[in-house]
PDB file of all heavy atoms in Angstrom:
ATOM      1  N   THR A 116    -107.985 -96.505  39.015  1.00 98.00           N
ATOM      2  CA  THR A 116    -107.657 -95.382  39.901  1.00 98.00           C
ATOM      3  C   THR A 116    -106.308 -94.777  39.541  1.00 98.00           C
ATOM      4  O   THR A 116    -106.142 -93.542  39.475  1.00 98.00           O
ATOM      5  CB  THR A 116    -107.677 -95.845  41.348  1.00 98.00           C
ATOM      6  OG1 THR A 116    -108.994 -96.309  41.679  1.00 98.00           O
ATOM      7  CG2 THR A 116    -107.285 -94.731  42.306  1.00 98.00           C
ATOM      8  N   ALA A 117    -105.309 -95.636  39.345  1.00 98.00           N
ATOM      9  CA  ALA A 117    -103.971 -95.150  38.966  1.00 98.00           C
ATOM     10  C   ALA A 117    -104.004 -94.418  37.624  1.00 98.00           C
ATOM     11  O   ALA A 117    -103.368 -93.379  37.445  1.00 98.00           O
ATOM     12  CB  ALA A 117    -102.995 -96.320  38.924  1.00 98.00           C
ATOM     13  N   THR A 118    -104.752 -94.978  36.679  1.00 98.00           N
ATOM     14  CA  THR A 118    -104.836 -94.359  35.367  1.00 98.00           C
ATOM     15  C   THR A 118    -105.508 -92.999  35.458  1.00 98.00           C
ATOM     16  O   THR A 118    -105.054 -92.005  34.858  1.00 98.00           O
ATOM     17  CB  THR A 118    -105.635 -95.252  34.395  1.00 98.00           C
ATOM     18  OG1 THR A 118    -105.017 -96.552  34.352  1.00 98.00           O
ATOM     19  CG2 THR A 118    -105.642 -94.671  33.002  1.00 98.00           C
ATOM     20  N   ALA A 119    -106.602 -92.930  36.222  1.00 98.00           N
ATOM     21  CA  ALA A 119    -107.331 -91.666  36.351  1.00 98.00           C
ATOM     22  C   ALA A 119    -106.430 -90.583  36.978  1.00 98.00           C
ATOM     23  O   ALA A 119    -106.507 -89.414  36.594  1.00 98.00           O
ATOM     24  CB  ALA A 119    -108.558 -91.862  37.204  1.00 98.00           C
ATOM     25  N   ALA A 120    -105.575 -90.992  37.906  1.00 98.00           N
ATOM     26  CA  ALA A 120    -104.671 -90.029  38.533  1.00 98.00           C
ATOM     27  C   ALA A 120    -103.697 -89.455  37.490  1.00 98.00           C
ATOM     28  O   ALA A 120    -103.418 -88.246  37.463  1.00 98.00           O
ATOM     29  CB  ALA A 120    -103.891 -90.683  39.656  1.00 98.00           C
ATOM     30  N   ALA A 121    -103.168 -90.317  36.636  1.00 98.00           N
ATOM     31  CA  ALA A 121    -102.249 -89.863  35.603  1.00 98.00           C
ATOM     32  C   ALA A 121    -102.947 -88.993  34.577  1.00 98.00           C
ATOM     33  O   ALA A 121    -102.423 -87.956  34.136  1.00 98.00           O
ATOM     34  CB  ALA A 121    -101.586 -91.059  34.907  1.00 98.00           C
ATOM     35  N   VAL A 122    -104.173 -89.382  34.209  1.00 98.00           N
ATOM     36  CA  VAL A 122    -104.929 -88.602  33.234  1.00 98.00           C
ATOM     37  C   VAL A 122    -105.231 -87.203  33.759  1.00 98.00           C
ATOM     38  O   VAL A 122    -105.120 -86.213  33.026  1.00 98.00           O
ATOM     39  CB  VAL A 122    -106.245 -89.340  32.875  1.00 98.00           C
ATOM     40  CG1 VAL A 122    -107.178 -88.446  32.064  1.00 98.00           C
ATOM     41  CG2 VAL A 122    -105.928 -90.607  32.089  1.00 98.00           C
ATOM     42  N   ARG A 123    -105.580 -87.112  35.036  1.00 98.00           N
ATOM     43  CA  ARG A 123    -105.839 -85.796  35.619  1.00 98.00           C
ATOM     44  C   ARG A 123    -104.599 -84.914  35.598  1.00 98.00           C
ATOM     45  O   ARG A 123    -104.693 -83.701  35.344  1.00 98.00           O
ATOM     46  CB  ARG A 123    -106.328 -85.963  37.072  1.00 98.00           C
ATOM     47  CG  ARG A 123    -107.776 -86.391  37.201  1.00 98.00           C
ATOM     48  CD  ARG A 123    -108.285 -86.256  38.621  1.00 98.00           C
ATOM     49  NE  ARG A 123    -107.601 -87.158  39.540  1.00 98.00           N
ATOM     50  CZ  ARG A 123    -108.020 -88.372  39.836  1.00 98.00           C
ATOM     51  NH1 ARG A 123    -109.131 -88.841  39.269  1.00 98.00           N
ATOM     52  NH2 ARG A 123    -107.370 -89.132  40.668  1.00 98.00           N
ATOM     53  N   LEU A 124    -103.450 -85.491  35.806  1.00 98.00           N
ATOM     54  CA  LEU A 124    -102.215 -84.719  35.855  1.00 98.00           C
ATOM     55  C   LEU A 124    -101.813 -84.151  34.507  1.00 98.00           C
ATOM     56  O   LEU A 124    -101.092 -83.141  34.426  1.00 98.00           O
ATOM     57  CB  LEU A 124    -101.087 -85.564  36.455  1.00 98.00           C
ATOM     58  CG  LEU A 124    -101.163 -85.802  37.955  1.00 98.00           C
ATOM     59  CD1 LEU A 124    -100.144 -86.853  38.383  1.00 98.00           C
ATOM     60  CD2 LEU A 124    -100.934 -84.509  38.722  1.00 98.00           C
ATOM     61  N   VAL A 125    -102.202 -84.809  33.426  1.00 98.00           N
ATOM     62  CA  VAL A 125    -101.811 -84.312  32.101  1.00 98.00           C
ATOM     63  C   VAL A 125    -102.929 -83.506  31.430  1.00 98.00           C
ATOM     64  O   VAL A 125    -102.789 -83.098  30.278  1.00 98.00           O
ATOM     65  CB  VAL A 125    -101.372 -85.463  31.160  1.00 98.00           C
ATOM     66  CG1 VAL A 125    -100.238 -86.251  31.788  1.00 98.00           C
ATOM     67  CG2 VAL A 125    -102.546 -86.375  30.805  1.00 98.00           C
ATOM     68  N   ALA A 126    -104.015 -83.260  32.146  1.00 98.00           N
ATOM     69  CA  ALA A 126    -105.139 -82.502  31.580  1.00 98.00           C
ATOM     70  C   ALA A 126    -104.655 -81.138  31.085  1.00 98.00           C
ATOM     71  O   ALA A 126    -103.867 -80.459  31.740  1.00 98.00           O
ATOM     72  CB  ALA A 126    -106.227 -82.330  32.639  1.00 98.00           C
ATOM     73  N   GLY A 127    -105.149 -80.751  29.924  1.00 98.00           N
ATOM     74  CA  GLY A 127    -104.771 -79.473  29.345  1.00 98.00           C
ATOM     75  C   GLY A 127    -103.588 -79.541  28.413  1.00 98.00           C
ATOM     76  O   GLY A 127    -103.267 -78.567  27.745  1.00 98.00           O
ATOM     77  N   THR A 128    -102.899 -80.700  28.366  1.00 98.00           N
ATOM     78  CA  THR A 128    -101.828 -80.908  27.411  1.00 98.00           C
ATOM     79  C   THR A 128    -102.369 -81.763  26.256  1.00 98.00           C
ATOM     80  O   THR A 128    -103.505 -82.255  26.320  1.00 98.00           O
ATOM     81  CB  THR A 128    -100.622 -81.631  28.043  1.00 98.00           C
ATOM     82  OG1 THR A 128    -100.972 -82.997  28.301  1.00 98.00           O
ATOM     83  CG2 THR A 128    -100.239 -80.954  29.355  1.00 98.00           C
ATOM     84  N   ARG A 129    -101.569 -81.996  25.262  1.00 97.00           N
ATOM     85  CA  ARG A 129    -102.006 -82.834  24.148  1.00 97.00           C
ATOM     86  C   ARG A 129    -101.829 -84.322  24.438  1.00 97.00           C
ATOM     87  O   ARG A 129    -102.337 -85.181  23.690  1.00 97.00           O
ATOM     88  CB  ARG A 129    -101.247 -82.456  22.887  1.00 97.00           C
ATOM     89  CG  ARG A 129     -99.778 -82.790  22.904  1.00 97.00           C
ATOM     90  CD  ARG A 129     -99.072 -82.293  21.658  1.00 97.00           C
ATOM     91  NE  ARG A 129     -99.639 -82.868  20.444  1.00 97.00           N
ATOM     92  CZ  ARG A 129     -99.414 -82.395  19.213  1.00 97.00           C
ATOM     93  NH1 ARG A 129     -98.663 -81.333  19.073  1.00 97.00           N
ATOM     94  NH2 ARG A 129     -99.941 -82.974  18.179  1.00 97.00           N
ATOM     95  N   ALA A 130    -101.107 -84.640  25.497  1.00 98.00           N
ATOM     96  CA  ALA A 130    -100.720 -86.036  25.750  1.00 98.00           C
ATOM     97  C   ALA A 130    -101.872 -86.866  26.266  1.00 98.00           C
ATOM     98  O   ALA A 130    -102.659 -86.426  27.124  1.00 98.00           O
ATOM     99  CB  ALA A 130     -99.575 -86.094  26.740  1.00 98.00           C
ATOM    100  N   VAL A 131    -101.982 -88.089  25.738  1.00 98.00           N
ATOM    101  CA  VAL A 131    -102.884 -89.098  26.283  1.00 98.00           C
ATOM    102  C   VAL A 131    -102.053 -90.117  27.046  1.00 98.00           C
ATOM    103  O   VAL A 131    -100.869 -90.307  26.771  1.00 98.00           O
ATOM    104  CB  VAL A 131    -103.722 -89.779  25.189  1.00 98.00           C
ATOM    105  CG1 VAL A 131    -104.607 -88.778  24.467  1.00 98.00           C
ATOM    106  CG2 VAL A 131    -102.821 -90.543  24.204  1.00 98.00           C
ATOM    107  N   ILE A 132    -102.693 -90.797  27.996  1.00 98.00           N
ATOM    108  CA  ILE A 132    -102.019 -91.828  28.782  1.00 98.00           C
ATOM    109  C   ILE A 132    -102.345 -93.189  28.170  1.00 98.00           C
ATOM    110  O   ILE A 132    -103.506 -93.536  27.952  1.00 98.00           O
ATOM    111  CB  ILE A 132    -102.506 -91.784  30.251  1.00 98.00           C
ATOM    112  CG1 ILE A 132    -102.127 -90.455  30.900  1.00 98.00           C
ATOM    113  CG2 ILE A 132    -101.903 -92.952  31.027  1.00 98.00           C
ATOM    114  CD1 ILE A 132    -100.654 -90.184  30.980  1.00 98.00           C
ATOM    115  N   GLY A 153    -110.279 -95.768  33.478  1.00 98.00           N
ATOM    116  CA  GLY A 153    -109.561 -94.682  34.124  1.00 98.00           C
ATOM    117  C   GLY A 153    -109.328 -93.492  33.197  1.00 98.00           C
ATOM    118  O   GLY A 153    -108.743 -92.492  33.623  1.00 98.00           O
ATOM    119  N   ILE A 246     -91.300 -92.847  33.882  1.00 98.00           N
ATOM    120  CA  ILE A 246     -92.289 -91.792  34.078  1.00 98.00           C
ATOM    121  C   ILE A 246     -93.228 -92.206  35.212  1.00 98.00           C
ATOM    122  O   ILE A 246     -93.817 -93.296  35.212  1.00 98.00           O
ATOM    123  CB  ILE A 246     -93.087 -91.546  32.782  1.00 98.00           C
ATOM    124  CG1 ILE A 246     -92.131 -91.189  31.650  1.00 98.00           C
ATOM    125  CG2 ILE A 246     -94.102 -90.398  32.996  1.00 98.00           C
ATOM    126  CD1 ILE A 246     -92.771 -91.143  30.276  1.00 98.00           C
ATOM    127  N   THR A 247     -93.382 -91.315  36.193  1.00 98.00           N
ATOM    128  CA  THR A 247     -94.230 -91.557  37.367  1.00 98.00           C
ATOM    129  C   THR A 247     -95.236 -90.436  37.505  1.00 98.00           C
ATOM    130  O   THR A 247     -95.232 -89.466  36.736  1.00 98.00           O
ATOM    131  CB  THR A 247     -93.354 -91.610  38.636  1.00 98.00           C
ATOM    132  OG1 THR A 247     -92.789 -90.318  38.876  1.00 98.00           O
ATOM    133  CG2 THR A 247     -92.199 -92.619  38.465  1.00 98.00           C
ATOM    134  N   LEU A 248     -96.070 -90.533  38.529  1.00 98.00           N
ATOM    135  CA  LEU A 248     -97.009 -89.434  38.793  1.00 98.00           C
ATOM    136  C   LEU A 248     -96.267 -88.158  39.153  1.00 98.00           C
ATOM    137  O   LEU A 248     -96.792 -87.054  38.930  1.00 98.00           O
ATOM    138  CB  LEU A 248     -97.970 -89.824  39.917  1.00 98.00           C
ATOM    139  CG  LEU A 248     -98.980 -90.931  39.597  1.00 98.00           C
ATOM    140  CD1 LEU A 248     -99.878 -91.195  40.805  1.00 98.00           C
ATOM    141  CD2 LEU A 248     -99.842 -90.580  38.371  1.00 98.00           C
ATOM    142  N   ALA A 249     -95.071 -88.292  39.679  1.00 98.00           N
ATOM    143  CA  ALA A 249     -94.311 -87.113  40.088  1.00 98.00           C
ATOM    144  C   ALA A 249     -93.809 -86.307  38.888  1.00 98.00           C
ATOM    145  O   ALA A 249     -93.638 -85.067  39.005  1.00 98.00           O
ATOM    146  CB  ALA A 249     -93.124 -87.534  40.968  1.00 98.00           C
ATOM    147  N   ASN A 250     -93.569 -86.949  37.754  1.00 98.00           N
ATOM    148  CA  ASN A 250     -93.001 -86.212  36.624  1.00 98.00           C
ATOM    149  C   ASN A 250     -93.827 -86.285  35.355  1.00 98.00           C
ATOM    150  O   ASN A 250     -93.432 -85.769  34.315  1.00 98.00           O
ATOM    151  CB  ASN A 250     -91.559 -86.667  36.339  1.00 98.00           C
ATOM    152  CG  ASN A 250     -91.482 -88.121  35.881  1.00 98.00           C
ATOM    153  OD1 ASN A 250     -92.491 -88.808  35.765  1.00 98.00           O
ATOM    154  ND2 ASN A 250     -90.268 -88.602  35.651  1.00 98.00           N
ATOM    155  N   VAL A 251     -94.998 -86.933  35.417  1.00 98.00           N
ATOM    156  CA  VAL A 251     -95.780 -87.119  34.190  1.00 98.00           C
ATOM    157  C   VAL A 251     -96.249 -85.805  33.622  1.00 98.00           C
ATOM    158  O   VAL A 251     -96.324 -85.633  32.381  1.00 98.00           O
ATOM    159  CB  VAL A 251     -96.974 -88.091  34.452  1.00 98.00           C
ATOM    160  CG1 VAL A 251     -98.024 -87.453  35.354  1.00 98.00           C
ATOM    161  CG2 VAL A 251     -97.588 -88.531  33.123  1.00 98.00           C
ATOM    162  N   ARG A 252     -96.558 -84.827  34.464  1.00 98.00           N
ATOM    163  CA  ARG A 252     -96.988 -83.537  33.950  1.00 98.00           C
ATOM    164  C   ARG A 252     -95.846 -82.831  33.209  1.00 98.00           C
ATOM    165  O   ARG A 252     -96.060 -82.235  32.148  1.00 98.00           O
ATOM    166  CB  ARG A 252     -97.445 -82.641  35.117  1.00 98.00           C
ATOM    167  CG  ARG A 252     -97.862 -81.229  34.720  1.00 98.00           C
ATOM    168  CD  ARG A 252     -99.194 -81.223  34.020  1.00 98.00           C
ATOM    169  NE  ARG A 252     -99.535 -79.916  33.468  1.00 98.00           N
ATOM    170  CZ  ARG A 252    -100.707 -79.616  32.930  1.00 98.00           C
ATOM    171  NH1 ARG A 252    -101.667 -80.518  32.901  1.00 98.00           N
ATOM    172  NH2 ARG A 252    -100.953 -78.412  32.448  1.00 98.00           N
ATOM    173  N   GLU A 253     -94.644 -82.924  33.737  1.00 98.00           N
ATOM    174  CA  GLU A 253     -93.482 -82.321  33.086  1.00 98.00           C
ATOM    175  C   GLU A 253     -93.249 -82.972  31.728  1.00 98.00           C
ATOM    176  O   GLU A 253     -92.912 -82.285  30.752  1.00 98.00           O
ATOM    177  CB  GLU A 253     -92.261 -82.459  33.977  1.00 98.00           C
ATOM    178  CG  GLU A 253     -91.012 -81.785  33.432  1.00 98.00           C
ATOM    179  CD  GLU A 253     -89.782 -81.954  34.327  1.00 98.00           C
ATOM    180  OE1 GLU A 253     -89.845 -82.785  35.250  1.00 98.00           O
ATOM    181  OE2 GLU A 253     -88.800 -81.232  34.096  1.00 98.00           O
ATOM    182  N   VAL A 254     -93.393 -84.294  31.671  1.00 98.00           N
ATOM    183  CA  VAL A 254     -93.225 -84.988  30.402  1.00 98.00           C
ATOM    184  C   VAL A 254     -94.299 -84.584  29.399  1.00 98.00           C
ATOM    185  O   VAL A 254     -94.019 -84.326  28.223  1.00 98.00           O
ATOM    186  CB  VAL A 254     -93.247 -86.522  30.630  1.00 98.00           C
ATOM    187  CG1 VAL A 254     -93.284 -87.266  29.289  1.00 98.00           C
ATOM    188  CG2 VAL A 254     -92.035 -86.957  31.442  1.00 98.00           C
ATOM    189  N   ALA A 255     -95.544 -84.496  29.872  1.00 98.00           N
ATOM    190  CA  ALA A 255     -96.632 -84.093  28.981  1.00 98.00           C
ATOM    191  C   ALA A 255     -96.407 -82.697  28.424  1.00 98.00           C
ATOM    192  O   ALA A 255     -96.762 -82.404  27.262  1.00 98.00           O
ATOM    193  CB  ALA A 255     -97.952 -84.161  29.724  1.00 98.00           C
ATOM    194  N   ALA A 256     -95.823 -81.832  29.218  1.00 98.00           N
ATOM    195  CA  ALA A 256     -95.606 -80.432  28.804  1.00 98.00           C
ATOM    196  C   ALA A 256     -94.571 -80.320  27.692  1.00 98.00           C
ATOM    197  O   ALA A 256     -94.432 -79.252  27.089  1.00 98.00           O
ATOM    198  CB  ALA A 256     -95.171 -79.586  30.004  1.00 98.00           C
ATOM    199  N   ILE A 262     -98.072 -90.767  26.346  1.00 98.00           N
ATOM    200  CA  ILE A 262     -97.158 -91.230  27.405  1.00 98.00           C
ATOM    201  C   ILE A 262     -97.591 -92.648  27.769  1.00 98.00           C
ATOM    202  O   ILE A 262     -98.736 -92.847  28.173  1.00 98.00           O
ATOM    203  CB  ILE A 262     -97.197 -90.321  28.624  1.00 98.00           C
ATOM    204  CG1 ILE A 262     -96.801 -88.892  28.270  1.00 98.00           C
ATOM    205  CG2 ILE A 262     -96.300 -90.874  29.736  1.00 98.00           C
ATOM    206  CD1 ILE A 262     -97.014 -87.897  29.386  1.00 98.00           C
ATOM    207  N   LEU A 264     -97.307 -95.955  30.179  1.00 98.00           N
ATOM    208  CA  LEU A 264     -96.941 -96.243  31.566  1.00 98.00           C
ATOM    209  C   LEU A 264     -97.160 -97.723  31.860  1.00 98.00           C
ATOM    210  O   LEU A 264     -98.295 -98.155  32.053  1.00 98.00           O
ATOM    211  CB  LEU A 264     -97.783 -95.384  32.509  1.00 98.00           C
ATOM    212  CG  LEU A 264     -97.711 -93.852  32.322  1.00 98.00           C
ATOM    213  CD1 LEU A 264     -98.734 -93.162  33.225  1.00 98.00           C
ATOM    214  CD2 LEU A 264     -96.304 -93.356  32.602  1.00 98.00           C
ATOM    215  N   TRP A 266     -96.389 -99.291  34.539  1.00 97.00           N
ATOM    216  CA  TRP A 266     -96.785 -99.546  35.927  1.00 97.00           C
ATOM    217  C   TRP A 266     -98.287 -99.464  36.168  1.00 97.00           C
ATOM    218  O   TRP A 266     -98.759 -99.917  37.206  1.00 97.00           O
ATOM    219  CB  TRP A 266     -96.040 -98.615  36.888  1.00 97.00           C
ATOM    220  CG  TRP A 266     -96.220 -97.147  36.634  1.00 97.00           C
ATOM    221  CD1 TRP A 266     -95.391 -96.320  35.920  1.00 97.00           C
ATOM    222  CD2 TRP A 266     -97.271 -96.306  37.072  1.00 97.00           C
ATOM    223  NE1 TRP A 266     -95.869 -95.032  35.922  1.00 97.00           N
ATOM    224  CE2 TRP A 266     -97.023 -94.985  36.606  1.00 97.00           C
ATOM    225  CE3 TRP A 266     -98.436 -96.535  37.856  1.00 97.00           C
ATOM    226  CZ2 TRP A 266     -97.874 -93.930  36.883  1.00 97.00           C
ATOM    227  CZ3 TRP A 266     -99.268 -95.466  38.113  1.00 97.00           C
ATOM    228  CH2 TRP A 266     -98.998 -94.175  37.626  1.00 97.00           C
ATOM    229  N   LEU A 267     -99.024 -98.913  35.236  1.00 98.00           N
ATOM    230  CA  LEU A 267    -100.480 -98.878  35.395  1.00 98.00           C
ATOM    231  C   LEU A 267    -101.026-100.297  35.610  1.00 98.00           C
ATOM    232  O   LEU A 267    -101.962-100.489  36.378  1.00 98.00           O
ATOM    233  CB  LEU A 267    -101.158 -98.276  34.173  1.00 98.00           C
ATOM    234  CG  LEU A 267    -100.926 -96.794  33.903  1.00 98.00           C
ATOM    235  CD1 LEU A 267    -101.659 -96.374  32.639  1.00 98.00           C
ATOM    236  CD2 LEU A 267    -101.380 -95.931  35.097  1.00 98.00           C
TER     237      LEU A 267
END
Side-chain angles (χ1 to χ4, degrees):
T116 298
T118 305
V122 169
R123 284 192 293 269
L124 286 170
V125 303
T128 72
R129 68 185 301 165
V131 299
I132 298 297
I246 304 171
T247 67
L248 292 180
N250 64 1
V251 69
R252 177 74 187 188
E253 184 181 13
V254 171
I262 300 171
L264 303 173
W266 57 264
L267 293 179

